[in-house]
Structure formats: structure tokens, C-alpha cells
Amino acid sequence: MTATLIFLTALVVMTSAWLLLLLSRQKKRKQVIIFQGKEIEKQLRDMEQHNKELNELILQNKQIIGIVSHDLKGPFNRIFALVHLMSHSAENLTDNQKEYLDKIHQIVVDGLGMMRNLLDNRRLEEKGIELNSDKVNLVTLLGSLVKNYQVLAEKKGIIVHFESPKQLFIVSDKLYLIRVFENLLTNAIKFSDSNTNVFVTVIEEENRISISVRDEGPGISIADQQNLYHKLQRLSARPTGGESSSGLGLWIVKSIVDKMGGEIVCISDQGKGATFKVLLKK
């Protein structure tokens, strides 16, 4: 009886000690969890504050880029107008002066294109694309663009050819159509060598309209074709006349064409030029 009592007493003491040890460990574990929870909460607050500051900085940078781009358009447009006037009275200029005037014209056009793309990028990021569809004579619109860009192309010894039906109407947003084909024409001229051609062709198909811009430049590699429409993507091919490239043009083109419910296709082999085909619904 005494042995049994001693055994039971020892068992109770051991069990109590084990329970006390377990409670102590649980208490410490709870304290650790509470401490870790507070640390995580602090880190989350710090991250939220950091993200808030980062978002404010990004917004400020976008606003600065937008303001600067918009404000610079005025001086660039005035320079463009002056160069245009001087070109019409160039008979008194020397050959060197005419060459410098052509270079100024190219630089101004290049700068205006970059600013338009920066403003388009800001608009797309903030508001997306809001189409204002209307009946547009596509032949007249593209013919006018080709005529304008022919002047720039001739300064590089490039001829722009235009082939289309006599008239072709489409219901679309005129301003966005202009931005699409301004970018495609600019790229075709920018990446073409002297004494080459650029072809703009409009074909009316059964349910859609195909507008292609083809150049005789260096072409686009398979690797570049996979990343063509990525934002700020720089291609391995470089502009042939020292022009700048923001890496925004094709991304803007793709965004607009997608919004219009159309499709853009690139067909190219290295060394054999490139064709960008825009397919739009009638």
C-alpha cells in the first residue's frame, strides 16, 4: 500500500511538472508569436508607407514628363515652322547651309515624334483609350500622311509609294488612326537606308481593310519580333540617320489597334525589310 501511494505521488508530481513545463513553453511560444506579430505589423506599415511614397514619386515623375513634353511642343513647332519657311526660300543658301537646314528639320520632326509618344503613353496609362468613332475617308487620311512624310523621306533619299482604291471609308477614330500610321511611317523611314523605298498599300478585303507599311531596311530578327510590342523595347536594329528611338511607338500602335478591334502583324526576314500590316474591321 505504501509503495503504491509513493508511486502515485511520484506520478502526480511528474505529471504536474510536465504540465508546468508545457505551460511555460506555450507561454514563451505565445510571447514569441505576439512579438513576431508586432514585428510583421511594423514591417507592413513600413511597406505601406514606402509604397505610398513610391507611388507619389511615380505620379510626380509622370506629371513632370507630361508637363515638359507638352510645354516643349510649342518651341519645337515654332522651329519646325521657321525651318519650313526657310526651305521655301532656300535659293540663296549654300549647299552646306541647305544640308544643315535639312538636319535641323529631321531633328525637329524626331523630337516632335518623341514628345507625341510620351504624351500618348501618359494618356494611355492614366485614361486608357477612348474612341470617338466617325466616318473617315481612309484614302484621304493616309494620302495626306504619305505626302507629309515624303518630304522627310526625301531628305534621306527614300521614296514613299502609296497604292490604294480611289475612295474607302471606315468608321473609326481619326486622331488615333493618324497616330498609328504616323508611328509606322516614322519607323519605316527611320530604319531604312538611303536610296530605298517605303510602300504604303491599302487593300479592301471581304470583311476587313488591310493597310500595310513595307520598307527595304535591315529587317527584324526573330528574337526582336517576339518582343516587338513590349513597352520601352529597344530593337537590335538601329536608326540609319542617327534618329532617336523611345521604344514606345509600337507599343502605342498595338494598344490602339487592339482597342479598335483590329490586328497588327509583322512580316520580316533579316536583310529583306519589314512589313507591318494593320487589319481593321469595316
Side-chain angles (χ1 to χ4, degrees), residues 16-235:
S16 300
W18 181 79
L19 288 171
L20 287 171
L21 179 63
L22 183 63
L23 288 170
S24 176
R25 287 180 177 175
Q26 286 180 337
K27 185 177 180 180
K28 287 181 179 179
R29 190 177 293 114
K30 186 178 179 181
Q31 289 174 341
V32 170
I33 291 171
I34 292 171
F35 175 76
Q36 290 176 339
K38 289 180 178 179
E39 284 295 308
I40 291 171
E41 286 178 2
K42 183 177 180 298
Q43 290 175 6
L44 286 172
R45 286 196 299 270
D46 292 342
M47 286 178 63
E48 286 176 0
Q49 181 63 28
H50 179 70
N51 287 336
K52 183 180 178 182
E53 293 173 356
L54 186 61
N55 288 331
E56 288 176 353
L57 183 61
I58 291 171
L59 180 60
Q60 288 174 4
N61 287 337
K62 285 181 180 178
Q63 289 173 336
I64 290 170
I65 291 172
I67 291 168
V68 171
S69 300
H70 185 271
D71 288 350
L72 280 175
K73 277 180 68 179
F76 266 84
N77 279 322
R78 287 194 289 275
I79 295 171
F80 181 83
L82 287 171
V83 170
H84 189 66
L85 285 172
M86 291 176 70
S87 298
H88 283 289
S89 57
E91 63 273 2
N92 296 324
L93 300 178
T94 65
D95 289 341
N96 281 339
Q97 288 172 333
K98 290 177 183 177
E99 183 181 347
Y100 294 146
L101 195 62
D102 287 345
K103 288 185 187 236
I104 293 171
H105 179 258
Q106 182 178 315
I107 291 168
V108 171
V109 170
D110 196 25
L112 282 169
M114 285 191 68
M115 281 183 283
R116 287 193 193 101
N117 281 344
L118 286 170
L119 291 170
D120 283 345
N121 173 62
R122 183 188 175 200
R123 191 180 301 113
L124 289 174
E125 285 185 340
E126 292 181 355
K127 300 179 181 178
I129 298 174
E130 298 175 0
L131 297 177
N132 295 310
S133 297
D134 201 358
K135 190 176 182 180
V136 180
N137 189 330
L138 193 60
V139 174
T140 302
L141 183 145
L142 290 173
S144 178
L145 280 177
V146 167
K147 186 177 180 180
N148 290 339
Y149 277 87
Q150 181 65 65
V151 178
L152 181 65
E154 285 175 352
K155 296 181 186 302
K156 289 185 70 174
I158 298 167
I159 300 174
V160 183
H161 305 267
F162 182 48
E163 183 180 349
S164 73
K166 289 185 178 180
Q167 278 194 337
L168 185 57
F169 289 91
I170 186 173
V171 176
S172 189
D173 188 300
K174 183 178 179 179
L175 293 179
Y176 277 123
L177 281 174
I178 289 172
R179 293 301 295 127
V180 166
F181 293 106
E182 276 182 341
N183 272 298
L184 293 180
L185 276 166
T186 298
N187 281 352
I189 296 168
K190 188 183 294 184
F191 290 94
S192 292
D193 290 311
S194 298
N195 303 314
T196 58
N197 299 279
V198 171
F199 302 88
V200 179
T201 307
V202 182
I203 299 174
E204 185 177 9
E205 299 177 357
E206 186 177 353
N207 296 315
R208 62 185 183 179
I209 297 167
S210 169
I211 310 105
S212 61
V213 179
R214 177 169 68 89
D215 63 55
E216 297 176 338
I220 302 170
S221 68
I222 294 174
D224 279 342
Q225 288 183 46
Q226 294 174 351
N227 301 307
L228 266 181
Y229 308 109
H230 291 180
K231 195 173 183 180
L232 301 176
Q233 181 66 41
R234 298 295 180 91
L235 304 180

